[in-house]
Amino acid sequence: MMARTLAEQLAAHFGAYDDDALTAGNRAAVKRLLLDYLGVAVAGSQTGSGKVARAYAASTGGHGQATLIGDGARVPAVQAAFANAISSHSVELDDIDVLALFHFSPPVYSAALATAEQVGADGRALLAALAAGCEMMERLSKAANNSLRNRGYHTTPTCGTFGATIAAGRLLGLSQEQIVSSLGLAGAQAGGLMEMYGPSMQKRFNPGPASRNGVTAAGMAQLGFTGAATIFEGERGFLAAFTDENDPGRLVADLGQPYRLDIEFKPYSCARPIHNAIDCALEIRREHAPDPARVRRIGMARHPDWVLYHQNARPATYHEAQVSLPYSVAVALTDGQALFAQYNDARLQEPLLRRLSELVEISVDESLPRGVSCRMTLEMDDGAQYVSQVDYPKGSIQNPMSDAELRAKFDSLAVPVIGASRAAEAAALVADIEQCRDVGQLMRLLSPAG
């Protein structure tokens, strides 16, 4: 008997996946992320990048199958997945994996929700699709990283395309054979570059095609379009094309065992590897209350995994500021927080923030225990020194945000856009999503009344 390819093994696994396969931990994780995703996407839909994405999706025409978050327009599922993924990545508050390599929800949740509306799925089917899509995405990241990232590919879209495909495929009821083909078609569309840091909206765009392409791959496979079964391990397959080093076995490791999804959440409106540095600054501020005007030097030791990233001390736009460690540390020291309000173009030229940003000296320390670890040394003009090291940032598995904190985050993002009544109704639906008979009922709440 011919050995099964990786795609065939994954298809057998995900083909048998349903709501009953969810562990209690994974059920809680994907439900918590659903509330978080919706709040972030609602807020993101009102940003410049979110507005453009919505306008583009609405301009394409076609059958109204799914809802654009933020305005309620009905568009084809592929366009809803595209625009909602961009919206959910537009305020830098979306979830993160434990290694800070990718975001689960923009590609996977956007594809799943659009497809769920398209087919009239219920909440139980949605949860199973979300968990399956997240698992697929993380398995591929584990097989491909850190080589994928180090070669310049952005994990969220490259691996997210496959996660979106599995999520959409589950909701479309694909057979195992069709799932194999859909994974091949996902590979034909995988991509996304790390050349995205700068003053433009480039970073916001990346999850959009991944989510759209996942819906496309699943839909084409459902109609009979076949794809390569060797898409992962083939001579010119995903792993060979996107990595220099990889571990194919991690794609299918322990397929018969319960899979633990470790999903982390973001309390700060910036790139996740910066959060440890912000926590260092907030800890020093809380314990020592240093006068920001009297700071003489800010040393920031980082692990080799991330030391070459986020170094821009003079961001020109808030997009750049959200991937700037120096600016984020500066605003944390002065404001005591790093929410979306702190990242706006008007703040970037404030003399104190500019001065503090330029004082940050980033260095490498191989002894730090985790890729995102940071150790900050703050020196004052009188010679006083304050030190803080953070290995697990707020929102991580080891330092989690509570349900109450996640609900407060959701309300802070959603209420200004859709109002308190709709926000409360949406949160209640998410909390009891297993009883929801039509996911469209939830999606219709995610725009301003009227």
Side-chain angles (χ1 to χ4, degrees):
M1 181 178 178
M2 184 178 296
R4 293 189 299 172
T5 67
L6 295 173
E8 288 167 342
Q9 294 175 61
L10 289 165
H13 173 66
F14 290 118
Y17 209 99
D18 59 26
D19 180 72
D20 294 332
L22 288 181
T23 65
N26 284 354
R27 182 182 301 276
V30 295
K31 285 180 67 172
R32 278 163 59 88
L33 181 51
L34 180 58
L35 182 69
D36 193 71
Y37 165 86
L38 294 177
V40 172
V42 165
S45 72
Q46 306 305 300
T47 64
S49 50
K51 289 177 180 177
V52 172
R54 287 190 288 115
Y56 174 78
S59 74
T60 60
H63 298 295
Q65 299 171 319
T67 303
L68 289 180
I69 292 173
D71 65 19
R74 300 277 294 175
V75 298
V78 289
Q79 299 298 358
F82 174 80
N84 292 341
I86 291 175
S87 289
S88 69
H89 196 49
S90 286
V91 290
E92 283 293 344
L93 279 165
D94 40 338
D95 66 278
I96 200 76
D97 72 300
V98 295
L99 298 178
L101 289 165
F102 67 86
H103 307 272
F104 289 99
S105 65
V108 172
Y109 277 56
S110 302
L113 288 165
T115 307
E117 276 198 278
Q118 177 187 356
V119 302
D122 62 22
R124 287 171 59 89
L126 175 67
L127 281 185
L130 295 175
C134 288
E135 179 182 335
M136 176 69 239
M137 187 177 184
E138 186 169 58
R139 283 182 176 276
L140 185 52
S141 176
K142 288 178 177 178
N145 274 308
N146 288 328
S147 180
L148 178 83
R149 188 274 312 272
N150 291 343
R151 284 194 61 186
Y153 293 110
H154 188 195
T155 304
T156 298
T158 50
C159 296
T161 301
F162 293 90
T165 297
I166 288 296
R170 285 297 311 148
L171 289 160
L172 291 176
L174 299 189
S175 67
Q176 288 188 29
E177 185 178 5
Q178 289 170 331
I179 293 174
V180 172
S181 286
S182 73
L183 290 172
L185 300 178
Q189 303 173 89
L193 299 176
M194 290 288 281
E195 186 57 37
M196 60 188 181
Y197 298 120
S200 75
M201 299 175 181
Q202 181 87 20
K203 187 175 187 291
R204 320 299 182 208
F205 183 81
N206 277 1
S211 190
R212 177 191 63 202
N213 293 347
V215 175
T216 298
M220 290 287 282
Q222 183 186 41
L223 292 172
F225 206 103
T226 57
T230 55
I231 194 64
F232 295 115
E233 73 273 37
E235 182 181 357
R236 299 172 185 85
F238 181 89
L239 294 175
F242 284 86
T243 70
D244 297 309
E245 298 178 1
N246 54 70
D247 185 354
R250 300 199 71 178
L251 259 174
V252 293
D254 301 319
L255 277 182
Q257 304 301 316
Y259 189 89
R260 173 177 167 174
L261 283 172
D262 285 331
I263 301 171
E264 300 192 341
F265 297 89
K266 293 171 68 173
Y268 313 129
S269 187
C270 60
R272 180 57 158 191
I274 299 174
H275 285 215
N276 295 60
I278 292 172
D279 280 332
C280 288
L282 293 177
E283 181 178 66
I284 289 174
R285 188 180 194 270
R286 184 170 55 249
E287 295 187 0
H288 305 287
D291 180 354
R294 296 181 55 201
V295 174
R296 182 170 64 191
R297 177 182 173 272
I298 304 172
M300 186 66 66
R302 301 187 78 186
H303 188 278
D305 278 1
W306 285 107
V307 71
L308 298 178
Y309 295 80
H310 318 118
Q311 295 189 10
N312 182 8
R314 289 196 171 194
T317 68
Y318 81 88
H319 297 292
E320 282 191 309
Q322 288 180 303
V323 289
S324 165
L325 184 150
Y327 176 85
S328 298
V329 167
V331 81
L333 286 171
T334 57
D335 290 28
Q337 55 189 9
L339 303 174
F340 193 51
Q342 274 69 48
Y343 294 91
N344 67 76
D345 292 345
R347 299 293 307 276
L348 304 184
Q349 302 305 318
E350 290 184 12
L352 181 57
L353 289 178
R354 289 291 294 270
R355 176 180 173 274
L356 288 171
S357 294
E358 292 172 3
L359 287 177
V360 176
E361 300 174 6
I362 298 174
S363 61
V364 62
D365 186 344
E366 296 181 359
S367 71
L368 290 170
R370 302 188 68 232
V372 293
S373 293
C374 289
R375 184 178 63 256
M376 177 174 165
T377 303
L378 190 75
E379 295 182 8
M380 307 300 293
D381 59 9
D382 63 359
Q385 286 194 2
Y386 309 118
V387 179
S388 172
Q389 179 172 323
V390 172
D391 300 316
Y392 296 99
K394 181 64 176 178
S396 63
I397 300 299
Q398 294 79 7
N399 185 15
M401 294 177 70
S402 67
D403 288 343
E405 288 172 326
L406 281 176
R407 175 60 189 272
K409 175 185 173 182
F410 170 81
D411 286 343
S412 73
L413 295 168
V415 170
V417 180
I418 65 176
S421 177
R422 284 192 165 208
E425 190 175 350
L429 270 177
V430 171
D432 202 22
I433 194 68
E434 293 92 339
Q435 306 307 314
C436 179
R437 295 184 177 181
D438 178 10
V439 172
Q441 180 184 358
L442 171 63
M443 299 304 289
R444 288 188 287 272
L445 293 170
L446 304 176
S447 58

